[in-house]
Amino acid sequence: MRKVLVVNGSPRGDRSHSRRLVQLFIDQWTAFNPKDIVHYREVGKGNLPHISEDWIAAAFTPPEDRTAEMKETLGLSDRLVDELLWADTIIAGVPMYNWSVPSSFKAYMDQVMRIGRTWKFESGKPDGVYVGLLENKEMYLVSARGDYGYEPNGHNAHMNFQSNYVKLVFGIMGVEDIREVVLENEEYGGEQFSHSIKKAEGRIQQLLSKRFKTLKEPLR
Amino acid sequence: MRKVLVVNGSPRGDRSHSRRLVQLFIDQWTAFNPKDIVHYREVGKGNLPHISEDWIAAAFTPPEDRTAEMKETLGLSDRLVDELLWADTIIAGVPMYNWSVPSSFKAYMDQVMRIGRTWKFESGKPDGVYVGLLENKEMYLVSARGDYGYEPNGHNAHMNFQSNYVKLVFGIMGVEDIREVVLENEEYGGEQFSHSIKKAEGRIQQLLSKRFKTLKEPLR
């Protein structure tokens, strides 16, 4: 029995392609692992607050010295971190907005990058060397992009401030086993986009097949 | 008489180093150009909302087809874009949060990347070629970072998802003349940080001196 955390980062609802692919992934996953527990974390439509000056002061105060007010300030962040610590598997759907993640997903990342909970300095004080505290987790990242060519050596590779960034930060928190499913070409529509959808679905198929070996049926 | 837009991106108030440097910049600027008009846009503490599904639908609907509700949805975005169009000079203070911009500043960037107002597709439909619509503007970016080495060829260059990203997006909107003032080492404090403050102040001095030539007095 695994614990699966689903983080939906799209501000869109039914029109979101990353959400649909994430759900396809989860449906297949649970079909093969019916006892797994799936927990959904809404980010894209969840209106998560930006971290504030008070939040920063509270997070960098040692837990034993925090006032009741500070603890309250960190309440949502603690809940989000608890979910990550709980999970064996993280599946995140994240569209590219203006070459980075949507501000809502950045707010999520700012909320979960917590000193002493998801990362620490190696020496115990600022030293530029980060040690991740999220252990033994695998992550699947479903990236949706309007344009194409953001993969390494692609013509837009230098503009990938989205999945490269997500991988960097989760890697720093200790999640180094990250596989990506990429959906691209959304803004072009038509056959170019249809082809990209098929490719993304095939990639999900391939990842699950590799993960569980027993997967024999096609996704649909 | 120039029009100067100051965008403060730090979630911190008085404790913000980027705010202090931005203000130093502005004080010097206006001392030499007393007739310039300065407009402040609060972003870091301004609690700007994340763009939503409705926002996206409204922004990508041609202006003449927008409903009253759509226009209202875009109200804040329109105001922020108007400020950018108004300005001759943009001075932005942006700290690095988790190797990128704070989510509040990302929300600002998502709000001002407006098709038909700050950028357009070259062919008039999605073609991957962006044409910036902000013309004849200069920008000064005050970047504050906890660590150091994020400049090109620095040991943390590959982790600069902050000023590299801001320059990319403003460049796409047509603001290509961007000079950076970098404050680093904040998390180390002590002499290392003091030295960095002096360096940043010297850089401001150098930029203004170059800009106005008449600047002879040191900053303080």
Side-chain angles (χ1 to χ4, degrees):
Chain A
M1 191 198 72
R2 291 175 207 84
K3 288 165 278 179
V4 181
L5 175 65
V6 182
V7 183
N8 270 312
S10 175
R12 284 178 166 172
D14 293 342
R15 296 190 61 210
S16 162
H17 299 287
S18 65
R19 270 178 207 274
R20 196 184 62 73
L21 286 174
V22 163
Q23 197 50 49
L24 188 67
F25 194 109
I26 291 296
D27 289 347
Q28 290 289 324
W29 182 287
T30 50
F32 281 88
N33 307 281
K35 288 186 179 165
D36 283 7
I37 303 173
V38 179
H39 176 74
Y40 287 83
R41 163 51 55 187
E42 182 57 50
V43 168
K45 298 192 292 180
N47 206 21
L48 297 188
H50 307 299
I51 64 173
S52 62
E53 181 160 23
D54 287 347
W55 187 101
I56 297 164
F60 282 87
T61 297
E64 60 275 20
D65 297 336
R66 280 181 200 140
T67 63
E69 205 181 346
M70 282 176 165
K71 285 176 194 159
E72 203 184 309
T73 300
L74 296 175
L76 171 63
S77 167
D78 278 329
R79 202 150 67 242
L80 299 173
V81 169
D82 287 344
E83 290 172 354
L84 284 175
L85 290 166
W86 167 86
D88 302 308
T89 305
I90 303 157
I91 302 180
V94 184
M96 176 179 272
Y97 272 26
N98 300 321
W99 304 279
S100 177
V101 300
S103 62
S104 44
F105 198 80
K106 179 57 163 75
Y108 176 73
M109 292 171 81
D110 285 348
Q111 292 279 356
V112 298
M113 266 292 295
R114 275 283 299 282
I115 188 163
R117 296 214 66 198
T118 56
W119 67 275
K120 62 175 182 178
F121 286 118
E122 192 177 44
S123 66
K125 56 183 181 180
D127 57 13
V129 186
Y130 298 83
V131 178
L133 299 176
L134 297 178
E135 287 175 353
N136 302 317
K137 299 186 191 303
E138 60 180 346
M139 181 169 174
Y140 297 91
L141 173 61
V142 177
S143 291
R145 301 172 191 146
D147 201 356
Y148 66 101
Y150 293 95
E151 69 284 358
N153 302 317
H155 70 287
N156 281 324
H158 63 292
M159 293 168 78
N160 184 345
F161 287 80
Q162 177 229 12
S163 60
N164 286 350
Y165 177 62
V166 173
K167 287 175 191 170
L168 172 80
V169 175
F170 277 84
I172 284 168
M173 291 191 288
V175 185
E176 274 147 24
D177 178 8
I178 305 179
R179 319 285 162 102
E180 194 176 0
V181 176
V182 177
L183 176 66
E184 49 193 12
N185 289 313
E186 194 211 333
E187 69 192 35
Y188 300 114
E191 207 170 312
Q192 197 173 344
F193 184 43
S194 306
H195 175 74
S196 184
I197 291 175
K198 280 203 184 65
K199 210 171 133 187
E201 290 173 353
R203 169 78 171 145
I204 290 174
Q205 170 84 18
Q206 179 206 42
L207 283 170
L208 290 174
S209 163
K210 210 170 164 184
R211 179 73 176 79
F212 299 116
K213 303 213 166 60
T214 52
L215 190 67
K216 284 189 188 87
E217 294 299 309
L219 282 175
R220 59 181 193 184
Chain B
M1 193 197 73
R2 293 175 205 86
K3 288 165 278 177
V4 181
L5 175 65
V6 182
V7 183
N8 270 312
S10 176
R12 285 177 165 173
D14 293 342
R15 296 190 61 210
S16 162
H17 300 286
S18 65
R19 269 178 208 275
R20 195 184 61 75
L21 286 175
V22 163
Q23 197 50 48
L24 187 67
F25 194 108
I26 291 296
D27 289 346
Q28 290 290 325
W29 182 287
T30 50
F32 282 89
N33 307 280
K35 287 185 177 164
D36 283 8
I37 303 174
V38 180
H39 176 76
Y40 286 84
R41 163 51 56 188
E42 183 56 52
V43 169
K45 299 191 292 180
N47 206 19
L48 297 188
H50 308 300
I51 63 172
S52 63
E53 181 160 24
D54 287 346
W55 187 101
I56 298 165
F60 282 87
T61 297
E64 61 274 20
D65 297 337
R66 279 180 202 144
T67 64
E69 203 180 346
M70 282 176 165
K71 285 175 194 162
E72 202 184 309
T73 300
L74 296 176
L76 171 64
S77 166
D78 277 329
R79 203 149 66 242
L80 299 173
V81 169
D82 287 344
E83 290 172 353
L84 284 175
L85 290 165
W86 167 85
D88 302 307
T89 304
I90 303 158
I91 302 182
V94 184
M96 175 180 272
Y97 273 27
N98 300 320
W99 303 279
S100 177
V101 300
S103 62
S104 44
F105 198 80
K106 179 57 163 74
Y108 175 73
M109 292 171 80
D110 286 347
Q111 292 279 357
V112 298
M113 265 292 294
R114 275 284 299 283
I115 188 164
R117 295 213 67 198
T118 56
W119 66 275
K120 63 175 183 178
F121 286 119
E122 191 177 44
S123 66
K125 56 183 182 180
D127 57 14
V129 185
Y130 298 81
V131 178
L133 300 176
L134 297 179
E135 288 175 353
N136 302 317
K137 298 185 192 302
E138 59 179 348
M139 180 167 173
Y140 297 91
L141 173 62
V142 177
S143 291
R145 302 172 190 146
D147 201 356
Y148 66 101
Y150 293 95
E151 68 284 358
N153 302 317
H155 69 287
N156 281 323
H158 62 291
M159 293 167 79
N160 185 345
F161 287 81
Q162 176 229 14
S163 60
N164 287 349
Y165 177 63
V166 173
K167 286 175 190 170
L168 172 80
V169 176
F170 277 84
I172 284 169
M173 292 191 286
V175 185
E176 274 148 23
D177 178 6
I178 305 179
R179 318 286 161 102
E180 194 176 359
V181 175
V182 178
L183 176 66
E184 50 194 12
N185 290 313
E186 193 209 334
E187 70 192 35
Y188 301 114
E191 206 169 314
Q192 198 172 343
F193 184 44
S194 305
H195 175 75
S196 183
I197 291 175
K198 280 204 186 65
K199 210 172 134 188
E201 289 173 352
R203 169 77 171 147
I204 290 174
Q205 169 84 17
Q206 179 206 42
L207 284 170
L208 289 175
S209 163
K210 210 171 164 182
R211 180 73 176 78
F212 298 117
K213 302 213 166 57
T214 52
L215 189 67
K216 284 190 188 88
E217 294 298 309
L219 282 173
R220 62 178 191 185

